[in-house]
Amino acid sequence: VQPSCGAFREVLERTGGGILYDPAAPSSLADALASILLNPTYREELAEEGRAGVRRHFGLNTTTIPALLDAYGLAAASS
């Protein structure tokens, strides 16, 4: 459960592993928390979607390794 602002929105929309709430509406947070506390199956589904989504969108092969290769390429080209 994260506020619907900043990077939280992007991460949860890309991974599907969470619930966004309106930080200006306390009842929105309460509803989001209740939905996962009262429904263990839904909570487990969100957790699995989140893990899979992070691996898919933010794993070594999708972010870190390409960024390192780009950095090494730039360094090699400038020397």
Side-chain angles (χ1 to χ4, degrees):
V1 175
Q2 298 292 334
S4 60
C5 58
F8 296 124
R9 175 179 290 284
E10 177 189 355
V11 170
L12 292 185
E13 287 176 349
R14 290 180 79 182
T15 64
I19 301 171
L20 294 169
Y21 72 90
D22 179 359
S27 63
S28 175
L29 174 59
D31 291 343
L33 290 172
S35 71
I36 61 169
L37 290 172
L38 298 175
N39 189 338
T41 302
Y42 179 52
R43 182 173 60 241
E44 290 171 18
E45 289 170 357
L46 282 177
E48 182 52 39
E49 287 180 34
R51 281 189 291 273
V54 166
R55 285 186 196 109
R56 188 172 49 253
H57 295 289
F58 302 104
L60 286 175
N61 292 329
T62 57
T63 56
T64 306
I65 292 173
L68 284 172
L69 292 174
D70 287 347
Y72 285 127
L74 290 173
S78 68
S79 57

